[in-house]
Amino acid sequence: VYKGNLELEGDLAETVLTTLKRVEGNLTIRESSTESLGNLEYVGGNLYIWDPSIKSLGNLKYVGGDLTLAETNCKSLGKLEYVGGNAHLRRVHDNFSLGNLKRVEGDLDLHENLIKSLDKLEHVGGSLKLQWTRVKSLGKLKYVGDFLALWKTRIETFENLKYVGGQLNVSSTPFKSFGKLKYIGASLSLKDTPIKSFGNIERVRGNLNLESTQIESFGNLKRVDRNLELKDSKISKIMSVDEILSKVKVGGNIYFD
């Protein structure tokens, strides 16, 4: 057990990680000669790895603070299950896997990586950024505490997602279904998607952008707290302003062009 902050470089990293199982503080690894974190299971603070030699996180299961992986050759987070802060994965390996990761308490930033799946992930306490990834499914994910960014992904439906605490943006995707989702805490953008139904969504607590969508009915939706954007939308061609306002209470303006 190491009770303070630890920085490892060069050959020292391999020597220390052979036996070390627990770091109570922060751990930084740079330009080492080791390929794995070995028997290390626990980092109580932040874990920062900028090291192309690293290919595996070994037995690591817990990071209490932020996790940053940059310029590594890891193909998976392996046994890691919990990150107590933010997780930043930069320029990760093609077809990177989140492995056993189930919970991130802060933000999870995966944008512009070639990741295809969220694997076992169930909870992100902050924002989740997946824009410009190859993700097709949110899998077991149930909760996102803040902004969910999905534009330019391959997402079609939300299987298990029930709560988004901030904005939700699925613009320019093949998105077709909200699945079990009931709560959106801020604005919603569906621009350039083929979706036709709002599913169980009853309220949008911000702006609602339906530009170039195929939605024909507001379904269960009863309220939009701010502006409603209807440019080039199918619903703007089949419903008048009065008809729209009879179905949905709009707190701001309605834009048709």
Side-chain angles (χ1 to χ4, degrees):
V1 177
Y2 190 90
K3 293 188 177 181
N5 298 326
L6 182 62
E7 294 190 14
L8 298 175
E9 297 182 4
D11 294 339
L12 179 63
E14 186 168 8
T15 302
V16 171
L17 292 172
T18 299
T19 56
L20 188 65
K21 289 189 175 183
R22 189 178 180 101
V23 175
E24 299 289 348
N26 301 327
L27 174 61
T28 301
I29 302 174
R30 295 189 186 93
E31 299 179 358
S32 74
S33 58
T34 188
E35 295 185 353
S36 171
L37 300 191
N39 292 316
L40 184 69
E41 297 178 357
Y42 179 100
V43 176
N46 302 327
L47 174 59
Y48 181 89
I49 302 176
W50 189 299
D51 191 339
S53 297
I54 298 290
K55 296 181 179 179
S56 168
L57 298 186
N59 291 327
L60 186 68
K61 295 180 180 180
Y62 183 100
V63 175
D66 295 342
L67 169 67
T68 301
L69 295 185
E71 306 291 348
T72 73
N73 277 302
C74 283
K75 295 183 179 180
S76 171
L77 294 183
K79 298 178 181 179
L80 182 65
E81 296 180 358
Y82 179 88
V83 175
N86 301 320
H88 303 285
L89 308 180
R90 304 171 185 168
R91 299 178 193 152
V92 295
H93 200 280
D94 289 3
N95 301 322
F96 185 84
S97 168
L98 297 184
N100 288 335
L101 186 66
K102 293 181 180 179
R103 192 175 182 101
V104 176
E105 300 294 356
D107 300 335
L108 175 56
D109 188 353
L110 297 168
H111 82 281
E112 294 186 349
N113 286 309
L114 298 180
I115 189 167
K116 293 182 177 179
S117 169
L118 298 185
D119 298 297
K120 298 180 180 180
L121 187 69
E122 296 180 0
H123 179 105
V124 176
S127 298
L128 174 57
K129 298 179 181 179
L130 292 171
Q131 64 269 34
W132 299 95
T133 66
R134 296 180 180 178
V135 170
K136 294 182 179 180
S137 166
L138 297 185
K140 297 181 179 181
L141 186 69
K142 298 177 181 178
Y143 181 101
V144 177
D146 201 347
F147 181 32
L148 177 55
L150 296 172
W151 65 87
K152 297 291 184 178
T153 63
R154 301 178 184 181
I155 291 286
E156 293 188 6
T157 184
F158 298 154
E159 294 90 338
N160 294 298
L161 187 67
K162 295 181 179 180
Y163 183 100
V164 176
Q167 297 181 41
L168 172 58
N169 191 328
V170 288
S171 299
S172 303
T173 68
F175 187 64
K176 296 177 181 177
S177 172
F178 284 101
K180 299 177 181 179
L181 184 65
K182 293 183 178 180
Y183 185 95
I184 300 172
S187 297
L188 169 63
S189 178
L190 297 170
K191 181 180 178 182
D192 294 320
T193 63
I195 192 165
K196 295 183 177 180
S197 168
F198 282 98
N200 294 317
I201 303 298
E202 296 183 356
R203 180 179 176 185
V204 174
R205 293 163 177 81
N207 300 315
L208 174 59
N209 189 343
L210 298 180
E211 181 178 345
S212 302
T213 60
Q214 299 300 309
I215 284 181
E216 299 178 353
S217 167
F218 287 104
N220 292 322
L221 187 68
K222 298 293 187 293
R223 179 170 177 173
V224 176
D225 285 9
R226 298 185 67 185
N227 299 326
L228 175 59
E229 173 65 68
L230 296 174
K231 181 180 179 181
D232 296 326
S233 64
K234 189 168 186 178
I235 202 165
S236 68
K237 296 177 174 61
I238 60 178
M239 292 181 71
S240 67
V241 174
D242 289 340
E243 288 174 321
I244 291 171
L245 291 177
S246 71
K247 300 290 185 181
V248 181
K249 182 178 179 180
V250 180
N253 300 315
I254 300 178
Y255 297 104
F256 286 89
D257 52 36

